[in-house]
């Protein structure tokens, strides 16, 4: 994603190094870089836009507070994801997220019009089916498929993040994919192979 | 279950370009002649495309601005240098030692350093502290106590757990769930979450191991690197329990110690 401003040319490690010595503006560069993809990821995990925004905000604050704990050889992106994942799992257990099709998708239309991203009603229907299919998965499988299919992490990277073996991660992604496919087809009435 | 199910995880690795050498050749050859795996691979790519194309990128400048504002607030908060904290610890130690040197002030507080300290240095118009008053829950716990009355199940609340873990906080934001936080030495924090079994849905995990404690099947989740437990769950007498090591999954505690903690919770449940 293109960044506006002086942080375009700096990579994550350089921004992290600057933020570690108190440069909050450098950390804001990381917020610019990762807020949108993190929000996208959390919206799919939670199915709830306001909650996803809160979790994204808390994730960035936690990352800023614990920046010194990030090992030099570790990717900020993967670390941020891990924080967001922990925030989500805590919220999931705490609030027992209500799984139903929320009205967020409706309010989203208004937001998207404002940002010039108006989509067709059919596209929203597709998104509803996707979200409902995701909501039917266990939190473990939902996390696996969102990480792999949406965020683009490989099974090996997921294994490192979740602290499981690569084989377990591959198996989990495979199971998540099959479960999602079954749920999605049941919702859309698609009986194709 | 098809004969090709064993290849399913390999298809993920193939999709990730994480197969190499002979294994890559073997899987590629298999895919070429196996319609089931071809369909699976195609479906997996379709799912990826579906999720990516129909999940918008939420570029919300206002939400981003709110995050930056929080970060600025964090940056402006005064940081306590380690020296200040060390001095505070030394000051407390000096005061408590002074109280100890002054000797036992009363029968009720005899032998209890904090009670002696409060007797000598606390407000004189308060009654002398007793062990019972010192063991009362913290004010936040008292607030939560009212909420506990609305719980839809019989919560189990041990005041301490093996390993010097002391109950530090209780919270219940809905009738079917209660969260108990225990603080121990070396910054170890455990969260015991209990919920009505009727509202619990078990989460699966490839990392979990099964064991039996006091006739109840429990599920361990082990830290791969250190072979320590970071989470354990079980269902017993209508309550779903979950104990988790807080802050990080890379921190765990030894299995025998976690077993003792689980035992203590079960014993507390039996005794009520």
């Amino acid at each position: 994603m293109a960044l506006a401003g002086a942080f375009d040319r700096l990579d994550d490690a350089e921004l992290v190094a600057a933020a570690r010595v108190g440069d909050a503006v450098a950390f804001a560069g990381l917020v610019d870089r990762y807020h949108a993809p993190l929000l996208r990821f959390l919206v799919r995990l939670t199915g709830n836009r306001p909650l996803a925004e809160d979790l994204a905000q808390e994730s960035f604050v936690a990352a800023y507070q614990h920046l010194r704990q990030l090992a030099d050889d570790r990717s900020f992106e993967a670390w941020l994801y891990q924080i967001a994942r922990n925030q989500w799992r805590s919220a999931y257990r705490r609030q027992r997220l209500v799984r139903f099709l929320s009205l967020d998708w409706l309010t989203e239309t208004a937001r998207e019009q404002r940002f010039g991203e108006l989509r067709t009603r059919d596209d929203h229907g597709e998104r509803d089916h996707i979200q409902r299919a995701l909501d039917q998965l266990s939190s473990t499988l939902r996390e696996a498929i969102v990480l792999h299919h949406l965020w683009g992490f490989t099974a090996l990277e997921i294994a490192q993040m979740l602290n499981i073996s690569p084989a377990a991660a591959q198996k989990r992604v495979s199971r998540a994919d099959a479960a999602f496919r079954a749920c999605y087809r049941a919702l859309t009435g698609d009986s194709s192979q | 279950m098809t004969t090709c199910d064993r290849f399913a995880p390999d298809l993920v690795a193939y999709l990730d370009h994480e197969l190499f050498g002979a294994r890559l050749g073997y899987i590629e050859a298999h895919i070429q002649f196996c319609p089931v795996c071809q369909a699976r691979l195609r479906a997996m790519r379709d799912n990826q495309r579906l999720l990516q194309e129909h999940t918008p990128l939420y570029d919300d400048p206002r939400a981003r601005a709110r995050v930056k504002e929080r970060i600025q607030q964090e940056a402006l908060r005064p940081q306590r240098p380690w020296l200040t904290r060390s001095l505070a610890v030394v000051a407390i130690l000096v005061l408590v030692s002074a109280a100890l040197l002054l000797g036992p002030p009363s029968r009720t507080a005899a032998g209890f350093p904090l009670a002696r300290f409060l007797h000598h240095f606390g407000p004189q118009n308060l009654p002398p502290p007793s062990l019972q008053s010192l063991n009362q829950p913290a004010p936040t716990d008292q607030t939560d106590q009212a909420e506990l009355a609305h719980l839809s199940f019989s919560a189990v609340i041990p005041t301490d757990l093996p390993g010097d873990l002391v109950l530090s906080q209780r919270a219940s934001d809905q009738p079917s769930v209660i969260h108990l936080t225990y603080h121990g030495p070396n910054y170890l924090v455990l969260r015991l979450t209990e919920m009505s079994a009727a509202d619990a849905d078990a989460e699966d995990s490839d990392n979990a191991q099964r064991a039996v404690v006091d006739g109840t099947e429990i599920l361990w989740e082990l830290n791969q690197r250190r072979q320590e437990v970071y989470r354990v769950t079980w269902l017993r007498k209508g309550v779903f329990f979950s104990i988790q090591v807080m802050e990080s999954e890379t921190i765990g505690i030894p299995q025998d110690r976690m077993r003792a903690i689980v035992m203590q919770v079960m014993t507390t449940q039996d005794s009520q």
Side-chain angles (χ1 to χ4, degrees):
Chain A
M1 183 192 304
L3 276 175
F7 296 115
D8 272 347
R9 295 180 299 277
L10 299 182
D11 64 20
D12 287 359
E14 289 168 320
L15 290 175
V16 166
R20 268 182 180 154
V21 293
D23 187 348
V25 181
F27 192 84
L30 291 166
V31 174
D32 281 335
R33 195 168 288 177
Y34 290 112
H35 186 266
L38 187 67
L39 193 54
R40 183 190 204 205
F41 164 73
L42 285 167
V43 165
R44 274 303 183 210
L45 275 186
T46 63
N48 181 320
R49 169 81 185 260
L51 176 61
E53 277 186 21
D54 287 347
L55 292 178
Q57 178 163 309
E58 293 310 315
S59 302
F60 276 112
V61 171
Y64 182 74
Q65 287 170 337
H66 299 100
L67 208 53
R68 287 175 194 281
Q69 294 172 14
L70 173 63
D72 288 338
D73 60 346
R74 196 161 175 211
S75 137
F76 174 80
E77 184 184 11
W79 184 65
L80 177 67
Y81 155 72
Q82 200 156 11
I83 291 172
R85 169 187 180 264
N86 289 342
Q87 297 275 350
W88 166 64
R89 290 189 83 88
S90 299
Y92 180 80
R93 293 196 179 99
R94 197 166 52 239
Q95 299 180 5
R96 314 288 303 156
L97 298 177
V98 182
R99 294 177 182 177
F100 63 93
L101 182 60
S102 70
L103 292 176
D104 293 342
W105 302 112
L106 297 176
T107 56
E108 220 167 66
T109 308
R111 287 173 192 251
E112 287 175 358
Q113 279 174 333
R114 203 162 51 241
F115 297 128
E117 295 176 4
L118 181 61
R119 289 162 195 273
T120 65
R121 292 186 69 81
D122 286 341
D123 188 52
H124 274 92
E126 194 76 81
R127 271 198 262 161
D128 288 347
H129 286 135
I130 293 169
Q131 192 60 51
R132 287 167 68 187
L134 286 172
D135 287 349
Q136 288 178 28
L137 305 185
S138 74
S139 61
T140 309
L141 294 186
R142 193 178 343 149
E143 175 183 58
I145 194 168
V146 171
L147 268 181
H148 189 268
H149 285 10
L150 184 61
W151 192 289
F153 285 118
T154 67
L156 273 182
E157 290 168 328
I158 293 170
Q160 286 173 346
M161 289 173 189
L162 306 188
N163 213 9
I164 58 178
S165 69
Q170 287 165 359
K171 192 175 140 199
R172 193 178 290 186
V173 171
S174 173
R175 280 170 50 209
D177 181 82
F180 172 78
R181 188 162 56 243
C183 293
Y184 181 77
R185 282 180 179 165
L187 285 167
T188 57
D190 178 6
S191 58
S192 61
Q193 195 59 24
Chain B
M1 189 84 174
T2 73
T3 53
C4 277
D5 280 345
R6 65 195 169 94
F7 288 114
D10 284 318
L11 294 183
V12 175
Y14 179 75
L15 206 63
D16 291 343
H17 305 287
E18 285 176 346
L19 286 180
F20 304 99
R23 187 69 187 162
L24 174 62
Y26 178 70
I27 295 299
E28 273 182 334
H30 175 80
I31 292 169
Q32 198 173 353
F33 295 102
C34 175
V36 175
C37 285
Q38 283 170 14
R40 269 195 186 145
L41 200 57
R42 201 165 44 242
M44 215 179 287
R45 286 184 174 131
D46 285 347
N47 283 348
Q48 268 185 329
R49 183 187 47 75
L50 194 69
L51 267 166
Q52 286 179 2
E53 287 183 1
H54 296 285
T55 306
L57 199 61
Y58 298 92
D59 188 14
D60 186 341
R62 287 193 298 182
R64 226 169 37 234
R66 282 196 295 272
V67 175
K68 290 179 185 175
E69 199 176 314
R70 278 284 305 277
I71 298 298
Q72 282 293 344
Q73 288 168 3
E74 286 296 317
L76 292 173
R77 274 175 53 181
Q79 301 293 313
R80 282 187 184 175
W82 64 271
L83 186 63
T84 312
R85 266 181 272 178
S86 304
L87 286 174
V89 169
V90 169
I92 289 169
L93 285 174
V94 167
L95 285 171
V96 171
S97 304
L100 283 169
L101 288 171
L102 290 170
S106 69
R107 191 165 48 84
T108 51
F112 199 86
L114 186 56
R116 290 181 197 174
F117 168 74
L118 289 175
H119 179 81
H120 287 295
F121 297 102
Q124 295 304 310
N125 56 345
L126 292 176
S130 66
L131 288 177
Q132 189 168 353
S133 68
L134 289 168
N135 285 333
Q136 286 294 314
T140 49
D141 286 339
Q142 287 170 358
T143 307
D144 293 333
Q145 194 76 36
E147 295 173 22
L148 302 187
H150 301 296
L151 283 175
S152 62
F153 66 104
S154 181
V156 181
I157 308 179
T159 51
D160 50 49
L161 293 171
D164 294 331
L165 286 155
V166 180
L167 179 62
S168 54
Q169 195 180 13
R170 312 170 222 203
S172 175
D173 47 11
Q174 50 187 303
S176 59
V177 185
I178 180 172
H179 303 280
L180 307 170
T181 308
Y182 293 84
H183 278 75
N186 300 323
Y187 308 105
L188 181 67
V189 181
L190 282 193
R191 171 71 54 81
L192 168 58
T193 300
E194 299 173 18
M195 64 182 72
S196 159
D199 297 302
D201 62 339
E203 295 172 32
D204 60 344
S205 167
D206 294 330
N207 222 15
Q209 295 184 0
R210 291 173 196 283
V212 175
V213 174
D214 197 26
T216 301
E217 186 179 72
I218 63 170
L219 218 57
W220 305 97
E221 284 187 51
L222 293 179
N223 176 325
Q224 287 280 323
R225 286 179 204 148
R226 296 167 62 185
Q227 288 299 305
E228 291 175 331
V229 181
Y230 71 84
R231 185 162 179 248
V232 56
T233 54
W234 73 94
L235 186 64
R236 194 169 188 264
K237 295 185 179 176
V239 183
F240 179 79
F241 296 89
S242 163
I243 297 180
Q244 184 162 5
V245 181
M246 299 301 289
E247 301 301 335
S248 166
E249 288 175 5
T250 57
I251 300 171
I253 61 176
Q255 293 190 41
D256 54 347
R257 196 169 150 199
M258 184 62 100
R259 183 179 287 270
I261 290 169
V262 172
M263 279 291 289
Q264 167 92 16
V265 177
M266 288 179 177
T267 307
T268 311
Q269 188 182 26
D270 288 342
S271 65
Q272 57 184 36

